[in-house]
Amino acid sequence: MPDRICVLDLEVSPDPSAAILLNSRKPIRESSWAVSRIDVATILVAERKGPKWSVDDLLTIVVSDVEIGHVAQLPTEEDLLRELVRHLRPLQPDRRRDAKLVTYNGEAFDLPILRRRAIAHGLFDKAGLLNARSLGSFDVMRHLAGGRGARHPKLKEAAAALGIPATHQVERGPRLQYDPRAAKCETDVCATFLLYAYELAAACGDGSVIATLWRALADHIGYDRMVPGHLAQFARHPRLRTMP
């Protein structure tokens, strides 16, 4: 059982400068991570303090020069990467041997993108970005995979199978201006966190781990009416009322 959990998710888009160099008439697919740039990153940090857990941070960073209001804004992708280093530093093996970097399909997507974009910006001294796989990485999707050659489940499918919501709902209003990209990133991070809670419960043979971690997430999000829909689905889920 780790003492610290850090869940990471990225949203990317085709890099315009790469498109120019490719000189291709066809548009770059968003799935082509090798020529993509990072637009949004969300990190959820949870800490174990004795028998209890707390979610200490749910941070979303958006590369934008337009004020969004609910997230941390940084002008460039390089700034975003430097900010991520600060949050990944406590996961370094020589600092915290009891920490886990948790992703969904991160081994094939998020972590390679971190490495490639760090190299693109010359951040060769940022080991947390260049060698993110060494940070106690746990890819939930790989643990849910079927037999050899079987299709890997999508995050929404894996979550639905366990009754975990993963809808990218966006509420709009004078006090709730949520960027759809940020909403998706935050939803995916919360769903991944809860999927990992089930993996921990299975590993240690204790179902109460699920309730403990889910309640820690709900407490951090809050329960008031102003919680946006894509987060409220985790904080006000009916299952919370029946958990021991």
Side-chain angles (χ1 to χ4, degrees):
M1 175 77 73
D3 287 332
R4 181 182 175 92
I5 300 170
C6 181
V7 187
L8 171 70
D9 187 59
L10 306 175
E11 293 296 320
V12 305
S13 65
D15 184 351
S17 61
I20 293 172
L21 290 173
L22 285 173
N23 194 25
S24 174
R25 294 182 180 180
K26 295 181 180 180
I28 298 176
R29 295 179 301 158
E30 290 196 12
S31 59
S32 300
W33 62 263
V35 287
S36 293
R37 65 182 181 184
I38 302 171
D39 296 325
V40 184
T42 295
I43 285 186
L44 182 154
V45 178
E47 294 270 1
R48 183 159 67 99
K49 300 162 184 175
K52 295 184 179 181
W53 279 86
S54 66
V55 173
D56 297 331
D57 208 352
L58 180 58
L59 172 69
T60 299
I61 310 166
V62 176
V63 177
S64 175
D65 55 2
V66 178
E67 185 170 353
I68 301 171
H70 70 288
V71 297
Q73 286 175 235
L74 294 171
T76 69
E77 182 188 42
E78 182 179 347
D79 293 323
L80 179 149
L81 290 168
R82 291 183 180 277
E83 181 66 14
L84 282 180
V85 169
R86 189 169 66 85
H87 293 277
L88 295 176
R89 190 173 295 121
L91 299 175
Q92 293 288 348
D94 60 335
R95 293 170 179 262
R96 294 291 296 264
R97 297 184 183 277
D98 50 3
K100 284 291 182 185
L101 174 62
V102 180
T103 62
Y104 195 90
N105 195 28
E107 291 288 336
F109 184 78
D110 304 85
L111 303 189
I113 285 178
L114 279 181
R115 178 179 173 81
R116 295 308 304 167
R117 299 313 295 172
I119 290 173
H121 289 288
L123 302 177
F124 301 113
D125 61 331
K126 307 302 181 186
L129 300 177
L130 297 174
N131 304 306
R133 283 193 174 100
S134 67
L135 302 180
S137 175
F138 186 99
D139 188 334
V140 177
M141 190 182 79
R142 288 180 177 266
H143 285 260
L144 297 177
R148 186 174 182 180
R151 183 179 71 87
H152 289 78
K154 294 182 178 179
L155 173 59
K156 201 168 185 178
E157 295 170 340
L162 297 177
I164 299 170
T167 302
H168 307 144
Q169 300 171 350
V170 180
E171 293 184 15
R172 299 189 180 279
R175 295 176 62 191
L176 289 173
Q177 296 294 335
Y178 260 79
D179 184 308
R181 301 170 303 166
K184 181 180 186 306
C185 215
E186 290 173 347
T187 299
D188 289 352
V189 158
C190 290
T192 300
F193 176 69
L194 295 179
L195 283 171
Y196 183 59
Y198 277 83
E199 291 294 322
L200 283 178
C204 65
D206 183 2
S208 68
V209 172
I210 300 167
T212 300
L213 290 176
W214 200 326
R215 285 205 175 95
L217 174 63
D219 289 342
H220 181 80
I221 292 171
Y223 303 88
D224 61 68
R225 292 183 179 180
M226 297 309 298
V227 174
H230 70 281
L231 293 178
Q233 63 186 332
F234 300 105
R236 297 197 284 265
H237 195 279
R239 181 167 292 187
L240 282 168
R241 295 195 293 269
T242 62
M243 284 180 175

